[in-house]
Amino acid sequence: MRELFDKTQWIRDQFPVLKRKVHGHPLVYLDNGATTQKPQSVIDRVTRFLSEEYSTVHRGVYLMSQESTEFCETVRSTIARFVNARRPEEVIFTSGTTAAINLAATALGKSVVTPGGEIVITQMEHHANIVPWQQVALATGATLKIAPIMPDGSVDLEAFERTLTPKTQIVAFPHISNVLGTVNPVAQMTAMAKTVGAIVVVDGAQGIAHHPVDVQAMGCDFYCFSAHKMYGPTGVGVLVGRYDLMDQLPPVQFGGDMIETVTFEKSTFAKLPAKFEAGTPPITEIIGMGAAVEFIESIGWNYILGHDQAILNYALAGLETIPGIQLIGTAPGKSAIISFVMDGVHPHDVGTILDMEGVAVRVGHHCAQPLMGVYDVPATIRASFSVYNTESDADGLLSALQKVRHYFQ
Ligand code: PMP
């Protein structure tokens, strides 16, 4: 345990923003579920590209453009290795998780989903994994079915299995819940979905920085994530998809870079991955995302998983000492995302008081309004931890919560 937290200090030193003060207090940044801070290596890589190497990709006969193209294609290969995709062409650059899910949903909605078909999601979804499927259901005449969760925030696997029928065409669920911290058994749920022949889409927004991802072992058809939640820049993310399936799907956005030939009468489309990457990609951000993957690999999954559980247990033990706290999401093996409500205090008041103490947490519905309904709360307070959070961050949270308790006796 001690060793874990010593390494945390070494990691922490790589994040310049963590040295700042907020309202006169050292920053305690616990909104990592929303977005993570950036290490110096990512900042430096982006700065170097913008100041010394910047140019467009694909179209250039000149050296700098060829270099930019190579940088981006190297990142594609790095990501393919990082998630164990079968080949780099299975990695589609998008603007983030939301765009990746929308891309998959729109392409599947145009080609796979039929009237009378069924799309299954769970009660724990982020809006990004609800609304696109609602739109597909509306456009196609398919039905959206919701698999329930248990009181502890794990998917009720028996009920999930009963939700699946021969009519199920798509099954979509998160790797890790952004509210509950539940780590779903992705391979098991995918195997269940495959018994009815469904296509499986995994929302990996929270999974990607917290757990090793192996899309082949998971067996899923699509895995979606954003760079900004894994120490990389905003504005870029990835749709990882099975090549043979994506090869059959129609393109969703049309324009430059995604074509093979264009006449005024007719166009033909490029092969993967270009088919799904219309327009100039977020070049700078893709390159920054590559540095973010290198950062994660420099820390290693052993450390990340060990630290996640250690900081979770430390914070949970502390929360037990504060009266009137109700945890939302207590599934075994959960990740270090702690949602809770406090008796007699509105979450927004808690958030405001914590901010005055320099503690940044998220309060609200966390883009999961239906899940708030399941737990019958309007909002929660969410402290989400990352590799750079220390025991002293958890102590900062706890002492600020003691103050809240004191004000609202
Ligand atoms: N799904 C989950 C589980 C998330 O936590 C988030 C981000 N809060 C998203 C999807 C959407 O990610 P982005 O806003 O980066 O597109």
Side-chain angles (χ1 to χ4, degrees):
M1 178 99 165
R2 192 61 276 143
E3 242 173 53
L4 265 172
F5 285 113
D6 286 346
K7 184 162 177 184
T8 311
Q9 189 55 50
W10 170 78
I11 292 169
R12 224 181 142 72
D13 290 342
Q14 301 184 46
F15 288 79
V17 76
L18 297 178
K19 294 188 180 67
R20 78 165 276 182
K21 293 201 163 175
V22 172
H23 301 303
H25 298 276
L27 168 64
V28 174
Y29 185 76
L30 297 176
D31 196 17
N32 298 286
T35 197
T36 56
Q37 298 297 341
K38 314 304 167 202
Q40 193 64 52
S41 58
V42 170
I43 299 167
D44 287 348
R45 184 66 196 96
V46 167
T47 306
R48 190 170 87 232
F49 180 67
L50 288 175
S51 51
E52 297 172 24
E53 302 165 332
Y54 183 80
S55 84
T56 192
V57 291
H58 299 155
R59 281 173 288 267
V61 291
Y62 56 96
L63 179 71
M64 282 173 70
S65 175
Q66 288 163 4
E67 282 173 356
S68 290
T69 307
E70 200 181 313
F71 293 149
C72 286
E73 292 314 310
T74 302
V75 174
R76 199 187 297 282
S77 301
T78 302
I79 301 268
R81 179 178 43 72
F82 188 58
V83 300
N84 196 28
R86 290 157 200 83
R87 48 198 280 191
E89 295 83 354
E90 293 196 328
V91 172
I92 310 294
F93 294 131
T94 68
S95 64
T97 309
T98 304
I101 297 173
N102 273 274
L103 199 177
T106 310
L108 293 167
K110 282 182 178 185
S111 55
V112 168
V113 183
T114 53
E118 292 174 353
I119 301 169
V120 172
I121 59 173
T122 73
Q123 281 183 325
M124 68 170 76
E125 292 330 311
H126 186 282
H127 297 162
N129 209 25
I130 302 175
V131 190
W133 302 114
Q134 272 173 347
Q135 295 304 307
V136 170
L138 272 174
T140 57
T143 307
L144 187 63
K145 290 171 77 179
I146 315 298
I149 56 171
M150 317 255 253
D152 71 355
S154 41
V155 173
D156 180 338
L157 289 175
E158 281 174 24
F160 175 71
E161 198 161 26
R162 283 195 301 274
T163 316
L164 305 168
T165 75
K167 290 188 200 158
T168 311
Q169 292 168 328
I170 311 285
V171 175
F173 56 87
H175 183 179
I176 297 180
S177 159
N178 66 311
V179 176
L180 308 165
T182 311
V183 182
N184 283 317
V186 177
Q188 192 183 356
M189 289 171 72
T190 301
M192 288 175 171
K194 288 295 169 192
T195 62
V196 295
I199 289 171
V200 175
V201 180
V202 179
D203 171 355
Q206 298 295 331
I208 195 70
H210 287 269
H211 257 255
V213 172
D214 180 336
V215 289
Q216 294 189 60
M218 286 173 166
C220 57
D221 299 286
F222 292 101
Y223 191 93
C224 311
F225 60 91
S226 304
H228 71 94
K229 292 180 197 277
M230 51 180 285
Y231 319 105
T234 50
V236 67
V238 170
L239 174 70
V240 186
R242 211 157 39 78
Y243 188 95
D244 51 352
L245 172 60
M246 289 203 297
D247 195 37
Q248 302 299 315
L249 297 180
V252 166
Q253 286 199 315
F254 302 88
D257 283 337
M258 55 74 66
I259 51 82
E260 193 180 50
T261 60
V262 178
T263 66
F264 283 120
E265 288 71 40
K266 158 176 190 298
S267 304
T268 57
F269 306 128
K271 298 219 165 316
L272 292 168
K275 179 170 85 172
F276 289 122
E277 293 181 351
T280 303
I283 305 167
T284 312
E285 291 74 13
I286 289 171
I287 290 169
M289 175 164 64
V293 171
E294 282 166 18
F295 169 75
I296 292 175
E297 290 182 332
S298 76
I299 299 174
W301 285 114
N302 276 349
Y303 168 80
I304 294 171
L305 293 170
H307 173 268
D308 197 69
Q309 289 307 297
I311 195 91
L312 173 69
N313 292 334
Y314 184 83
L316 285 177
L319 282 173
E320 266 177 25
T321 66
I322 301 172
I325 286 201
Q326 187 202 330
L327 297 174
I328 309 282
T330 51
K334 68 173 265 172
S335 192
I337 296 174
I338 307 176
S339 276
F340 58 97
V341 288
M342 259 180 124
D343 283 354
V345 199
H346 193 280
H348 281 91
D349 292 333
V350 178
T352 306
I353 296 170
L354 261 52
D355 176 51
M356 293 315 293
E357 301 295 315
V359 180
V361 294
R362 175 95 180 263
V363 293
H365 54 62
H366 317 291
C367 296
Q369 285 182 359
L371 181 60
M372 297 294 112
V374 171
Y375 282 93
D376 200 19
V377 291
T380 76
I381 304 136
R382 181 186 72 183
S384 49
F385 294 82
S386 186
V387 288
Y388 40 68
N389 289 123
T390 57
E391 283 165 312
S392 110
D393 286 335
D395 291 341
L397 169 70
L398 297 169
S399 70
L401 287 172
Q402 294 284 12
K403 284 200 179 153
V404 176
R405 194 69 289 169
H406 179 74
Y407 295 144
F408 290 86
Q409 287 285 14

